[in-house]
Amino acid sequence: GLLLATGLGLALFTDLGRSGIGVPSVSGLTPDAAKLALIERGLKVATDTETRSDPTIATGFVIGTDPPQGSTVKKNTLVRLIVSSGPKLIVVPDVRGKARKVAAEMLQTAGFKSKFTEAFSADVEKGQVSDQTPLGGESLAEGGTVNVVISKGVDLVKVPNLKLMSQSQAEAALKDAGLKRGSVTPRVTTQRDP
């Protein structure tokens, strides 16, 4: 550094251009590419690395450095790479049978987003979760989306009036309504029902 005495006091000047090096950003690079970039800047790279989970940087790629990017350090300073172990995996809670609002709160509290759709279900009450993907107990990356299906209840179908139809006409009418013929009980009548 240089110490200058002036009429207004003392001022200390340092020449960071010759002695200070900015740690470059190596985030997203492979460890080999990051090492090369740091060495080219006049820095040394530690042989050991630190590993951390990261939701956006793929496993095996560099997240950052210690000291961090943008830090001004001396030439030949030892820099440690921080490498991604991928996103943090969390166990998904089982929300089947829960109301939509409860399911959404459970998933958000656990660190997930949720996407809701609706479908008919003969087994699950209307307004309750009938299915989810991934299932409860499976792992998903933190911040990932759990697809949740809310039951619309039983799918009711209007049964066509089959009175006064022949069996073949009645079977065709049922087929057109998306239904299957069950058991047939023939009944002979000579009168029309009112």
Side-chain angles (χ1 to χ4, degrees):
L2 175 66
L3 184 61
L4 252 180
T6 67
L8 301 172
L10 298 175
L12 179 63
F13 293 93
T14 59
D15 183 6
L16 290 178
R18 280 189 278 166
S19 62
I21 298 171
V23 177
S25 172
V26 292
S27 179
L29 298 178
T30 64
D32 288 341
K35 286 176 189 175
L36 184 60
L38 293 167
I39 290 169
E40 287 176 351
R41 292 297 282 273
L43 301 169
K44 291 186 177 186
V45 181
T47 55
D48 63 322
T49 59
E50 183 178 335
T51 305
R52 291 187 198 159
S53 64
D54 188 278
T56 58
I57 305 289
T59 303
F61 286 83
V62 176
I63 299 170
T65 57
D66 181 22
Q69 76 174 42
S71 300
T72 302
V73 296
K74 292 181 181 178
K75 186 175 182 172
N76 293 320
T77 296
L78 189 64
V79 177
R80 176 172 283 111
L81 295 176
I82 303 169
V83 179
S84 175
S85 60
K88 181 179 177 185
L89 296 178
I90 302 174
V91 175
V92 176
D94 188 355
V95 295
R96 290 174 295 171
K98 308 282 188 222
R100 179 185 183 127
K101 183 178 179 181
V102 172
E105 289 171 359
M106 286 177 67
L107 292 170
Q108 182 179 10
T109 299
F112 300 108
K113 297 174 189 163
S114 51
K115 179 181 177 188
F116 290 91
T117 57
E118 293 184 343
F120 290 107
S121 173
D123 303 323
V124 179
E125 184 180 325
K126 182 178 180 177
Q128 305 295 316
V129 176
S130 61
D131 197 12
Q132 71 179 77
T133 306
L135 293 173
E138 294 180 356
S139 295
L140 181 64
E142 183 177 31
T145 300
V146 178
N147 295 303
V148 181
V149 180
I150 302 295
S151 173
K152 290 170 48 173
V154 176
D155 187 9
L156 300 177
V157 178
K158 185 173 181 176
V159 178
N161 183 354
L162 305 177
K163 289 183 182 180
L164 301 176
M165 288 186 181
S166 68
Q167 185 171 339
S168 62
Q169 290 172 324
E171 287 175 359
L174 289 172
K175 185 177 178 184
D176 289 345
L179 301 171
K180 293 181 182 177
R181 175 182 63 96
S183 62
V184 177
T185 307
R187 188 174 104 191
V188 178
T189 180
T190 56
Q191 299 180 3
R192 287 185 170 253
D193 288 339

